[in-house]
Amino acid sequence: MLKLCYKDYLAGRWLWLATSAIYVLYAVQPLGSSVMIMAFGLAFVLANLLIPFIFEDKDKTEVLYAGLPLTRATIVRGRYLLGILILAGCGLLVFGMNAAVGAVVQTPIYQGGLMPLRSPSAVAGFLLAGGLAIATYLPVYHKLGLGRANMVFVAAWLMIFTAAAGLERLASVHLKLIRPILTAEFLKDPGKGVISWLEAMRSAAGTPIFFLAVGALLALIFLASMRISVRAYERREF
Amino acid sequence: MHNALEIDRLAKSYGDFRLRDVSFSVPRGYIMGLIGPNGAGKTTIIKLILNLIRRDGGEVRIFGSDNRSREVEVKRRIGFVHDAPCFFEHLTLRNVGRTIAPFYPDWDGPLFERLLRDFDLPPGKRFVKLSRGMKMKFALAVALSHKADLLILDEPTSGLDPVFRRELLGRLSAFIQDEGKAVLFSTHITADLERIADFITFIREGEIVFSTSKDEILGSWAVVKGGLELLAEDKRPLFKAVRKREFSVQALTAIAAEARRRLGPSAVIERATLEDIMFYLSRGNGHA
């Protein structure tokens, strides 16, 4: 599977470098909203995952690799491994940049926006969100191919954001049902809100158990997603 | 195991197209030409051999092993040249080689470099900058560099200049000098096959019309030219396909000797080329 990641590395390395440079430029901007930083970090993960797929689609190399001595299941597993490596690499850059910028620029905006994003709970949140995004995208990609998968995925995210906006509206009229979860404080900065939830869980369970649970949850999500992807990809015809 | 490739009652349907009970084999040490009009099913057969599409029925065995249950082992022995080679276009040829080499335990790096030199392919050139002929050469270099035992080529010579076509055919002839190896070569350019193929499989509308040795085909098939009397009831069974004009008839026969004996001087009988056979069987009014 590492061989598959290596060919993706050869194909996508310059664009990965370019997206990383863009992220670094973005991360040095004085951002106050932690949710923006988190959303951009997540977009960074997905963009990097898509780069090799875009090259594969443009150059039709899926046909080539499906003809090589590999099973479809191996090809799918290789893509999941690539997703994990990208998640880890992006995580290093995202949190590394947060730490570096936070250390250099000591303004109230940075402290307010970035401090919560440097906690272990923020790392867990990033891994869970990125892992979930990868695990939901890949089955759609293996079933529908790049073009249609991207349309479905974008449509799904638009629906999620629309629903989130709707929830915010509901919360603003103080609906009793959701008030305990979506407090006004949470809605003021949902990024920090999510991290606060995770922080509460980490405090309750202890850091080792919390991270074990995060790892187990991610493993379960990835295994289930990979199973669906393998089934879909084995049916794909080139 | 005598055969490099055995296909038995292969079937596949999609949309209006049906591949029906396709059976043929390619013995080791020989080149099999796969011919047929557009949409006949040649590429479908090749895709089924490579598991790029799922078969509905039948079997494909490569050096005795099933191409699905022993997919990895089987594909290590296949070198495939696609009609439109698909590699990462922005990479240099050397880097394209690097993306493929790890998947073949028998990849021979020095041989790959030597083939690039032999084919005048600069290793530092990007794939996208190559002409169609150079792309084909590169695909062939890749297929030969992992020491494949079975080469499968899908329309490799279409759109290529005669110089490279000859060079490619020479390479294929050299390839099968090792008698353990074999070639399956799909093409429209039947002249190429007349030059190098040992066996010919003709496919039309998803069905095999014949699969036999080239010498047998060229020895027994003929084009018969004569008057309208060739359409007489007692003569029609001689022909596989007939093309009628206002005052004359041209027909294809698979029993040239019998036709010569029965028609005598009333008809002109000429040896059929593979192109004639393909043309008449595709366009003539069938009768057999």
Side-chain angles (χ1 to χ4, degrees):
Chain A
M1 286 186 291
L2 274 173
K3 298 170 190 171
L4 285 160
C5 297
Y6 178 65
K7 62 104 179 155
D8 291 326
Y9 159 75
L10 282 177
R13 55 191 166 163
W14 296 114
L15 268 183
W16 281 338
L17 201 62
T19 57
S20 302
I22 291 167
Y23 183 81
V24 168
L25 287 174
Y26 180 86
V28 296
Q29 302 298 311
L31 297 162
S33 164
S34 60
V35 77
M36 282 302 289
I37 296 171
M38 288 175 76
F40 201 73
L42 204 57
F44 181 49
V45 171
L46 282 173
N48 284 323
L49 181 68
L50 282 181
I51 285 169
F53 297 167
I54 290 166
F55 280 124
E56 278 203 346
D57 189 64
K58 178 178 79 68
D59 298 335
K60 299 183 176 66
T61 54
E62 271 198 291
V63 179
L64 169 72
Y65 288 94
L68 290 185
L70 295 163
T71 60
R72 299 279 180 98
T74 308
I75 294 173
V76 169
R77 283 198 289 267
R79 287 178 179 147
Y80 277 84
L81 178 60
L82 179 73
I84 290 168
L85 292 175
I86 285 173
L87 185 60
C90 291
L92 280 175
L93 191 68
V94 166
F95 289 97
M97 278 306 294
N98 282 349
V101 173
V104 173
V105 187
Q106 301 289 336
T107 65
I109 282 179
Y110 268 102
Q111 296 309 314
L114 289 168
M115 279 306 279
L117 297 182
R118 278 187 263 155
S119 66
S121 302
V123 174
F126 174 82
L127 292 177
L128 281 171
L132 196 63
I134 292 169
T136 47
Y137 178 76
L138 285 178
V140 186
Y141 169 74
H142 286 109
K143 176 76 183 169
L144 302 175
L146 184 75
R148 283 190 293 167
N150 287 355
M151 280 195 284
V152 168
F153 209 66
V154 167
W157 277 104
L158 281 175
M159 283 169 68
I160 289 167
F161 279 118
T162 309
L167 282 174
E168 189 178 2
R169 177 81 187 128
L170 282 174
S172 71
V173 294
H174 301 289
L175 241 182
K176 284 181 182 171
L177 275 175
I178 56 169
R179 205 189 308 163
I181 305 166
L182 299 175
T183 57
E185 197 183 340
F186 178 95
L187 290 165
K188 196 176 162 191
D189 190 339
K192 278 190 222 165
V194 170
I195 291 168
S196 302
W197 289 351
L198 292 168
E199 191 57 36
M201 280 188 252
R202 187 169 74 92
S203 301
T207 302
I209 291 176
F210 172 73
F211 274 100
L212 272 177
V214 167
L217 183 62
L218 272 175
L220 272 176
I221 291 168
F222 266 72
L223 285 173
S225 166
M226 200 154 67
R227 202 183 160 101
I228 298 167
S229 288
V230 169
R231 276 192 182 178
Y233 204 57
E234 282 178 341
R235 290 195 179 95
R236 275 277 293 279
E237 301 204 322
F238 296 102
Chain B
M1 180 52 59
H2 177 64
N3 288 322
L5 170 66
E6 293 169 275
I7 292 179
D8 187 29
R9 287 169 292 141
L10 195 58
K12 173 74 185 171
S13 299
Y14 36 26
D16 296 337
F17 177 77
R18 279 185 70 198
L19 194 71
R20 279 162 291 204
D21 284 337
V22 167
S23 301
F24 66 88
S25 56
V26 184
R28 291 174 185 231
Y30 293 98
I31 297 176
M32 165 72 82
L34 188 58
I35 59 172
N38 284 334
K42 303 187 295 293
T43 299
T44 302
I45 291 173
I46 288 173
K47 284 181 174 180
L48 286 165
I49 294 170
L50 291 165
N51 264 340
L52 297 178
I53 54 177
R54 292 159 66 85
R55 65 191 183 220
D56 296 337
E59 267 188 51
V60 177
R61 301 185 80 78
I62 293 162
F63 297 102
S65 300
D66 182 78
N67 75 329
R68 270 164 56 168
S69 59
R70 304 182 73 173
E71 183 172 10
V72 173
E73 177 196 316
V74 154
K75 283 184 174 174
R76 279 185 183 150
R77 303 185 72 177
I78 296 177
F80 175 47
V81 178
H82 199 269
D83 62 340
C86 345
F87 299 104
F88 286 117
E89 296 205 333
H90 62 293
L91 294 185
T92 62
L93 302 188
R94 185 172 283 128
N95 278 339
V96 173
R98 284 188 186 136
T99 65
I100 295 166
F103 300 102
Y104 292 101
D106 290 334
W107 181 267
D108 187 338
L111 174 63
F112 176 65
E113 294 281 339
R114 186 158 57 80
L115 286 167
L116 292 186
R117 275 197 305 276
D118 288 355
F119 289 153
D120 293 322
L121 296 167
K125 195 164 185 170
R126 291 175 195 277
F127 184 76
V128 71
K129 300 281 184 194
L130 301 183
S131 66
R132 176 171 161 74
M134 289 170 91
K135 284 180 178 174
M136 275 296 171
K137 283 185 191 179
F138 179 71
L140 188 65
V142 169
L144 293 173
S145 295
H146 64 85
K147 298 176 179 166
D149 293 318
L150 172 64
L151 272 187
I152 297 177
L153 304 105
D154 189 9
E155 304 279 359
T157 53
S158 60
L160 298 185
D161 65 75
V163 177
F164 178 61
R165 272 172 53 204
R166 287 227 175 190
E167 194 180 337
L168 174 72
L169 300 181
R171 285 275 167 185
L172 296 183
S173 297
F175 177 76
I176 54 148
Q177 293 311 304
D178 175 345
E179 292 184 354
K181 298 178 187 287
V183 177
L184 177 67
F185 186 161
S186 148
T187 184
H188 281 110
I189 305 170
T190 50
D192 291 344
L193 294 181
E194 284 181 24
R195 199 167 282 142
I196 59 157
D198 302 293
F199 295 90
I200 303 290
T201 294
F202 180 81
I203 182 163
R204 183 185 57 188
E205 291 172 6
E207 285 183 284
I208 297 284
V209 179
F210 59 75
S211 182
T212 186
S213 80
K214 181 186 73 183
D215 292 341
E216 195 179 315
I217 294 162
L218 297 180
S220 59
W221 290 67
V223 176
V224 180
K225 295 175 182 171
L228 295 176
E229 67 276 8
L230 288 179
L231 296 175
E233 278 299 309
D234 63 324
K235 289 171 186 154
R236 288 292 291 260
L238 289 170
F239 307 127
K240 288 279 188 190
V242 174
R243 284 180 71 82
K244 186 184 163 194
R245 294 191 176 156
E246 198 175 352
F247 302 110
S248 66
V249 168
Q250 294 190 0
L252 182 74
T253 180
I255 41 173
E258 171 75 2
R260 209 168 270 122
R261 189 180 62 75
R262 286 189 44 195
L263 300 173
S266 68
V268 176
I269 299 178
E270 296 168 351
R271 203 186 85 150
T273 62
L274 289 174
E275 191 173 313
D276 290 330
I277 295 170
M278 199 159 106
F279 173 72
Y280 279 94
L281 290 179
S282 307
R283 290 282 176 266
N285 297 318
H287 182 93

